[in-house]
Amino acid sequence: MTKINAAITAVGCYLPEYVLTNKELEQMVDTNDEWITTRTGIKERRILKGAGKGSSYMAIKASQNLLEKRGLNATEIDLVIVATATADMPVASTAVYVATEIGATNAFAFDLQAACSSFLYGMSVASAYIESGKYKKVLLIGSDKMSSIIDYTDRATCIIFGDAAGAVLFEPNHDGYGLQDELLRSDGIGRSYLKIDAGGSILPASAETVSNKQHYVFQDGKTVFKYAVSNMADVSEKIMERNNLTHNDVNWLAAHQANKRIIDATAHRMKLDDSKVLINIEKYGNTTSATLPLLLCDFEDQLKKGDNIIFASFGGGFTWGAIYLKWAYSK
Ligand code: UT7
């Protein structure tokens, strides 16, 4: 039997309509377009408005976009994974609800949480299920409603994040396309630098935690930045080395969109030309689990069968890693 690779065979995405620009943020906190643009590369981000809409709302829309583009009936899906740091609610799985709502009635489903690396880790998990030979169609969705955990009076975080969802379908491939190698890492030292203090089992919600604004994201940006730059570049360089890839062999870098300066540093270490670096941070900001599938969605037309793509991410925890994937189709 030939080796089974897990290939991405379809992509979909969803972007909320509301555009929050740097100009509008200038009215909300003490910041300015010039600072945000030069420090992060972000110009605007999307915000999901409307009561009762959580990450599942965007995950469902992104999945429906994928199913429609691919002409796939949801009953064919075996497994639905929702990568998210902003699940609809504690305990009840977001993925289970999404699977039911899209009509994936033959699938089992679960959530995967690894902060900004949720989608990258999800690629590893989805691929392992496919490579095992047990499952044929795994839907991996990255969806985050970051606006639900951001304090819009805190200029250190509110300028960075946005809401969005993206989805990919993994299927078996017997011709060598798909996931080739992965290098995933984590380090608990990161827990103090990027976190939400309250609302979990250590410090459950109370009137006091709410009034102290402990349900919002706290980030020590400078420290996270330092770890992100060195670790994301390290794994990206290592995965190239151990697969004997030079910068000429790599067609694209699809890196987590947290800060353009972090992406540039990674590309520099890989000796990659700017033209090979997929960037859309200026339009969406950091959408956590959605950044990688959003890149695939935006640049799908440019990706060619056989292209070598290096995916890389860094996020809270800390969690980080790189994946080497051979793209399986041309549009
Ligand atoms: O996706 C998960 C992983 N997360 C990341 O990878 C994010 C990593 N961190 C970063 O991207 C950057 O650290 C930030 C974009 C968050 C901040 O950029 P920075 O260059 O590290 O700025 P800083 O925090 O060192 O702040 C520099 C200055 C400070 O003023 P002083 O102390 O030098 O007077 C800040 O108070 O800029 C000030 N500042 C701002 N000024 C205008 C901080 N935020 C703002 C703001 N507008 N929004």
Side-chain angles (χ1 to χ4, degrees):
M1 213 181 93
T2 56
K3 181 175 182 297
I4 304 172
N5 279 102
I8 292 177
T9 58
V11 304
C13 51
Y14 173 75
L15 290 155
E17 269 169 38
Y18 191 85
V19 178
L20 176 59
T21 61
N22 289 352
K23 280 272 160 249
E24 190 177 348
L25 281 166
E26 285 179 7
Q27 314 304 312
M28 297 159 63
V29 289
D30 180 14
T31 190
N32 59 78
D33 176 51
E34 206 259 330
W35 191 96
I36 302 173
T37 307
T38 53
R39 296 292 177 121
T40 69
I42 303 166
K43 285 300 223 183
E44 56 190 44
R45 65 291 288 142
R46 302 298 180 99
I47 303 293
L48 181 65
K49 300 268 186 184
K53 290 180 184 163
S55 293
S56 66
Y57 179 87
M58 299 185 290
I60 291 165
K61 296 268 189 201
S63 305
Q64 288 167 339
N65 177 238
L66 179 150
L67 293 169
E68 203 172 295
K69 277 169 70 180
R70 173 63 197 275
L72 183 72
N73 190 320
T75 55
E76 289 182 45
I77 297 169
D78 302 305
L79 164 60
V80 175
I81 302 171
V82 172
T84 185
T86 53
D88 278 4
M89 52 178 85
V91 184
S93 162
T94 302
V96 170
Y97 177 71
V98 170
T100 299
E101 288 297 304
I102 63 171
T105 47
N106 295 311
F108 70 107
F110 59 84
D111 296 346
L112 192 157
Q113 211 289 59
C116 286
S117 298
S118 300
F119 191 85
L120 190 92
Y121 281 24
M123 290 175 71
S124 162
V125 173
S127 295
Y129 274 109
I130 295 288
E131 287 161 7
S132 76
K134 277 193 196 162
Y135 303 107
K136 303 272 183 278
K137 286 184 171 53
V138 178
L139 181 66
L140 171 64
I141 308 157
S143 183
D144 268 306
K145 185 182 170 186
M146 295 306 291
S147 61
S148 65
I149 52 171
I150 294 298
D151 175 2
Y152 284 92
T153 64
D154 175 13
R155 70 175 183 175
T157 51
C158 74
I159 56 124
I160 299 170
F161 295 99
D163 304 336
V168 303
L169 184 70
F170 276 95
E171 291 186 275
N173 184 288
H174 297 275
D175 301 319
Y177 299 101
L179 194 140
Q180 308 293 313
D181 194 14
E182 63 182 43
L183 193 51
L184 305 184
R185 292 285 177 269
S186 55
D187 185 346
I189 195 176
R191 178 151 138 155
S192 354
Y193 305 116
L194 178 46
K195 60 177 175 176
I196 296 178
D197 276 320
S201 53
I202 290 181
L203 186 59
S206 69
E208 195 188 349
T209 60
V210 172
S211 76
N212 290 342
K213 296 185 168 191
Q214 287 170 296
H215 297 85
Y216 291 127
V217 168
F218 161 83
Q219 176 172 247
D220 172 350
K222 234 186 189 68
T223 306
V224 177
F225 185 91
K226 266 192 241 157
Y227 278 95
V229 163
S230 66
N231 286 322
M232 209 161 88
D234 275 355
V235 286
S236 303
E237 191 180 37
K238 276 203 186 99
I239 207 162
M240 282 173 70
E241 269 168 27
R242 77 179 193 192
N243 288 280
N244 299 315
L245 298 171
T246 70
H247 60 98
N248 291 321
D249 304 313
V250 174
N251 299 93
W252 308 105
L253 168 65
H256 175 53
Q257 308 282 297
N259 187 318
K260 185 159 185 307
R261 289 184 291 145
I262 300 173
I263 303 165
D264 288 344
T266 301
H268 182 73
R269 182 89 80 82
M270 296 164 77
K271 302 189 174 60
L272 282 193
D273 247 33
D274 283 354
S275 62
K276 293 183 171 183
V277 183
L278 304 180
I279 300 262
N280 58 12
I281 191 171
E282 71 285 358
K283 293 191 286 183
Y284 313 131
N286 182 349
T287 56
T288 304
S289 310
T291 65
L292 297 182
L294 273 187
L295 284 174
L296 297 179
C297 217
D298 273 5
F299 293 94
E300 188 183 15
D301 288 347
Q302 293 180 45
L303 308 178
K304 297 277 172 288
K305 188 172 181 175
D307 278 357
N308 289 322
I309 309 179
I310 302 293
F311 291 86
S313 79
F314 185 87
F318 295 127
T319 53
W320 73 98
I323 283 180
Y324 163 33
L325 179 135
K326 217 175 239 308
W327 195 246
Y329 64 96
S330 299
K331 283 267 288 176

